[in-house]
Amino acid sequence: PVFTHESLALEGAAPPSVTDGFRSAADELEAYPTLLYDGAFADRVEQAQPRMTASQSDYGAEVARQSAVDFQRLGGLDAVDWTMSGEIGGNLPCRTFTGGDCTMAITRDGAFPAWFRNARAVGDSRIDPAQAVENARVFLAAEGFAELQPCWYDTSGGRCTVLFAAAQDGVLCYPDQIKLTVALDTGAVVGFDATPYWMNHTERTLPTPAISEADARARLSSRLIPPADAAPLVVIPTAGGSEAVCYEFACTGVRGERVLVYLDAADGRERSILIAVSSAQGTFVR
């Protein structure tokens, strides 16, 4: 499948409550769909000013290079002789480093790992997605992100991409994302993107829902079949640049299509609706 900032790739059944977490990767993968949450909300969150680096200082190129070295060491990656190759502007300025098949970006302010890519060719798959998810979880924990929860995964081209998001008080915060890609030949991490996390992560003041999950469920369209399970609370970005705490309903449409409906927990209004659409390149939402 192809993923863009305008689409959300889906395969498999409608998603269960993401806040349940993975009891174990092997047990949970059969219950979770192949779903990569990369686009429906990503374009909005990347247009903001970074929350995590706003108060940080520029520590210079050598500290940034050492951050790249520490990233590879903590994650158990093969040693790379990093050489600074350039700088990236925009809302999250970074210094870029290269070494062999690898490229890495380190934030200018704070010297945090923004993204990492290993462009090596991937061989025949030898591990299954369950092991890939576990490898991604262990890698993130080693890098200091043990609190993030795996949400969904996608397998394509011999790689498994796993999306993690931060949770606060049991509420999954979609803007605070980190995406890892694991090669299915060796099980090693070959991709890491924490840009949304550095842009958006913060300790939020989460309001108590003003309406119950049952009241929100009653507001769903009669043309949708609501999920049997309770709808989790999630944080999503809004079109106006703020955020909203919503109930996430994974519904089924009248023609069997999968529909994700986000109803504001403050007043029950519909904040977003994503409809799965099949195409020659896969299944997307609009």
Side-chain angles (χ1 to χ4, degrees):
V2 176
F3 309 114
T4 74
H5 287 309
E6 302 301 326
S7 62
L8 167 63
L10 298 117
E11 293 178 12
S17 169
V18 292
T19 52
D20 291 341
F22 278 10
R23 290 183 294 275
S24 72
D27 291 341
E28 291 293 318
L29 270 177
E30 290 189 2
Y32 278 66
T34 303
L35 172 61
L36 185 64
Y37 214 99
D38 181 32
F41 300 140
D43 57 347
R44 301 177 204 169
V45 300
E46 290 178 2
Q47 292 168 7
Q49 294 301 309
R51 291 174 169 175
M52 290 290 286
T53 64
S55 62
Q56 299 294 319
S57 300
D58 180 352
Y59 295 109
E62 182 52 36
V63 171
R65 193 191 73 81
Q66 185 59 49
S67 180
V69 171
D70 292 342
F71 177 87
Q72 99 196 15
R73 175 181 56 81
L74 291 172
L77 302 176
D78 292 339
V80 175
D81 185 13
W82 295 109
T83 300
M84 185 171 167
S85 56
E87 297 188 5
I88 300 172
N91 289 345
L92 190 69
C94 293
R95 293 182 171 91
T96 58
F97 296 83
T98 57
D101 292 327
C102 300
T103 306
M104 186 159 191
I106 303 295
T107 63
R108 183 195 65 195
D109 301 325
F112 300 130
W115 53 262
F116 162 83
R117 297 170 189 159
N118 186 335
R120 72 168 177 84
V122 176
D124 294 339
S125 298
R126 298 176 184 273
I127 68 170
D128 60 21
Q131 186 61 55
V133 171
E134 178 62 12
N135 289 5
R137 186 194 63 77
V138 171
F139 182 91
L140 267 191
E143 296 288 351
F145 299 101
E147 78 281 4
L148 271 70
Q149 297 182 10
C151 303
W152 296 299
Y153 73 98
D154 171 80
T155 56
S156 178
R159 299 171 175 85
C160 180
T161 301
V162 189
L163 181 80
F164 291 77
Q168 180 179 325
D169 301 328
V171 177
L172 201 66
C173 301
Y174 280 128
D176 305 4
Q177 304 176 9
I178 296 182
K179 184 171 60 179
L180 277 85
T181 302
V182 177
L184 296 178
D185 54 355
T186 65
V189 170
V190 294
F192 168 93
D193 185 2
T195 302
Y197 182 87
W198 299 123
M199 291 293 292
N200 299 290
H201 184 58
T202 186
E203 188 72 16
R204 295 168 171 83
T205 301
L206 297 175
T208 300
I211 66 172
S212 68
E213 190 266 351
D215 289 338
R217 182 180 293 259
R219 296 170 185 247
L220 290 169
S221 168
S222 60
R223 295 176 59 82
L224 296 175
I225 301 173
D229 296 335
L233 284 171
V234 300
V235 174
I236 66 170
T238 66
S242 59
E243 295 179 341
V245 177
C246 295
Y247 291 104
E248 180 185 62
F249 290 93
C251 303
T252 303
V254 292
R255 289 182 291 275
E257 68 272 27
R258 297 185 302 281
V259 183
L260 299 175
V261 181
Y262 297 87
L263 300 184
D264 199 311
D267 54 20
R269 62 174 157 158
E270 184 181 285
R271 284 287 192 172
S272 185
I273 181 168
L274 307 177
I275 305 173
V277 178
S278 295
S279 75
Q281 293 179 309
T283 307
F284 304 94
V285 301
R286 62 187 180 194

